[in-house]
Amino acid sequence: MAVTSSLTSLLQPRSIAIVGVSAEARSLGGFVLDNLERFGYAGDIHLVSRNATEVRGRPCVKSVSELPEGVDVAVLTIPESAVLATLHECGARGVRSVVVFAAGYAEAGEEGRRKQDALAAAAARHGIALAGPNCMGLTNFRDGIPLTFETVDRYPGSEVPGVSIVAQSGAMANNIRESLIGRGLPITCAVSTGNEAVLTLEDYIEHFIADRSTRVIAVYAEQIRRPQKFLELARQAREAGKPIVLSMIGRSERAREAAQSHTGALTGDYATACALLRAEAVVVTETIDELFDVLPILLRHPQPPDAGLAFVTGSGAMKNVALDLAQDLGLDLPAFTDATVQALQAMLPGYAVSENPLDYTTVAVRDPALMGTLIDAVAADPQCGCLIVSQMGGSAMNQRDKAQYMVPAVARADKPAALVIMGDDGPLAPELLQAARDSGVPFFRSPDRAMRAMALVRAYGRALQELRQEGRRTQAASLPPVREAFPEGGTVAEYRGKAWLAQAGLPVPRGALATDVEAAVHIARDIGYPVVIKAQAAALPHKSDAGGVIVGIADEAALRAAWDRLVANVKQARPGLVLDGVLVEAMGRKGVELVVGARRDPLWGPVVIVGLGGVWIEVLKDVRLLPADADEAQVLRELDRLKAAAMLKGLRGQPPVDLRAVARVVTLVGDVMRTVPQVREIDINPVMASEDGVVALDALVVCDPGEEGQA
């Protein structure tokens, strides 16, 4: 059965069976029936009960086998022990979809996992679209169909295109729903997916992308089980003009552990997932508040422009706060055009500065209509792609003025805009609250929350524009087969990995492997002093920790002494380790130490990394992650977003780094990861970058085990 048709039977059923209903006031089946009656569901409702012949005047049958053929959805409000047998009965009666509330499956351990697998197998056998288990069900607000045991009310804001919610946590689905209701925003559907034995986040997202009544898709995930499908759906959503706003746990180790116990999830690498999702213009939020706050903005403007923020206030202090926070958030505040400045100067006193952020001082106290005129002028500036107006509530009279002039002006803006009335929980005049709600303007009491939300909107608009301008890299790396180069797999000694990558174009120092000191002397004479020597063995990836690297060797005598010292160091640090030899290389030129690397996530695939390298990577962690098919333009943008970007552009009289040479190394590594699937990890650290180009001073390659290891 196709996903679209199976989800239609689940989300828009013409007939519903509640299995396990009883006359008890607080039974799960009773709550489902309450909801359906409260919503005025007009389709057929069938009740299945072992003990009751009727519930609330509705007749009951004793088993699923007595149901009519082809019921669209059966809601199982029964214990886990009875679910599998009942699912088979549903299949025999041609039930198209099933909702399973019961817990005790994959979230409960291995035995539960086996039970869940049995459910999935039974659903597949009968062609049933199964929601859950361990879920709270769903509510289709647009069509008035609640299939949940949580008490819900029909929501009047569902007649226009709105937000569809998909969450692996029932509680989180409810939280997002309540946030939208609290702001008077339209909701199309809210789904709790639970353990996702059959239907996953991706199935619902695919349905909502095609659903005309869905404008924005809000997602809460503890695990994205089908990452490649999710990324493909992100592309489809982008083409359909529907933002996906995602809150995803997994930044901390404890959160990943908790996810396993909550929904049976085995979480993939969070940083990798975020990098790839953001590269496809998914709005990934860091906090639940950000998820709540970005939805109302994107509902009004699902395709935001690629331009910075205009910030308007009547407070010099708030102007300074906005400047600080914008810097922290990487939110650009572009200068107003000359035309805007002239328009503002004509309205403001001479002591006011007509700049962004704009403090319009106290001019509106005497002429409140001026608030609207000033906001209109700023909102029309083509340099600014979004707008925040942040002001104190003030007296009751001031608040009525804001309701009359400020709120309509923000609502008139033809770009993402938000109104902030500061004062935390301070009381607001009913006229101002009503005006804000009626206008549909995203309304905040916190300028911090408004700016964080707008920073996400700004990043989304920028990502859309960048993706419109760029294509995907398809170039393949030209390398000998990895099985031929490294038949044993595992961690590869530096000299071998670096030589292999050099064949794809990686710039490396001149040098060679020596197995005795006489060979080392010969190599050094050939390449010229000064040289560096490095102990080489696959089992010694961190050579410096064992005293296995000696630099700045100026002549033959120093080389012979250094050789003896290096061998002694390694012998003491790693007794019994047999070296392949010692790599003798020309000393690298001075420059900025960078790291370029990549890793292959088993679920998400490859991602590349670039940032400040050497010892600084462990201390500062100033790195950027990109998809493996990123082109040079994307890499250059990410280099500019490093905290250490100023070092690359020339600091204190130093020449700027050849950034294009750095970008070429990053794309080369990406090509290797895309075209050589046996490579699990690459770490080139440091890459010494200077005005003359780059050179890879060290490189670590990790491959899948060789053929023998895979037997």
Side-chain angles (χ1 to χ4, degrees), residues 397-462:
M397 179 183 67
N398 294 149
Q399 292 190 38
R400 288 193 294 272
D401 290 342
K402 291 177 174 65
Q404 184 175 357
Y405 300 108
M406 179 179 285
V407 174
V410 179
R412 285 193 296 268
D414 61 351
K415 57 190 62 174
L419 173 64
V420 181
I421 301 298
M422 296 178 288
D424 199 21
D425 289 333
L428 294 179
E431 297 94 330
L432 179 54
L433 287 172
Q434 192 62 46
R437 178 175 282 267
D438 292 346
S439 72
V441 169
F443 179 61
F444 297 85
R445 299 301 307 270
S446 161
D448 291 41
R449 288 181 61 167
M451 288 189 71
R452 290 181 191 281
M454 204 62 81
L456 288 167
V457 172
R458 169 72 181 98
Y460 177 60
R462 183 171 56 231

Side-chain angles (χ1 to χ4, degrees), residues 144-168:
I145 306 171
L147 300 179
T148 176
F149 59 84
E150 184 208 12
T151 300
V152 289
D153 293 311
R154 183 116 197 202
Y155 179 50
S158 58
E159 294 80 13
V160 297
V163 179
S164 284
I165 303 163
V166 189
Q168 288 171 335

Side-chain angles (χ1 to χ4, degrees), residues 20-24 27 29-30 33-34 37 47-49 51-60:
V21 72
S22 76
E24 294 180 18
S27 68
L33 182 57
D34 282 345
E37 291 179 340
L47 304 183
V48 180
S49 174
N51 304 316
T53 57
E54 69 168 17
V55 172
R56 300 177 200 171
R58 294 178 180 269
C60 301

Side-chain angles (χ1 to χ4, degrees), residues 439-502:
S439 72
V441 169
F443 179 61
F444 297 85
R445 299 301 307 270
S446 161
D448 291 41
R449 288 181 61 167
M451 288 189 71
R452 290 181 191 281
M454 204 62 81
L456 288 167
V457 172
R458 169 72 181 98
Y460 177 60
R462 183 171 56 231
L464 291 177
Q465 181 62 24
E466 291 172 357
L467 285 162
R468 292 186 194 108
Q469 295 172 345
E470 296 160 2
R472 298 284 171 181
R473 280 178 57 80
T474 57
Q475 184 173 334
S478 177
L479 284 166
V482 72
R483 292 288 181 243
E484 177 184 306
F486 316 120
E488 73 284 4
T491 301
V492 177
E494 175 198 352
Y495 74 100
R496 298 175 65 200
K498 198 152 60 175
W500 184 68
L501 291 170

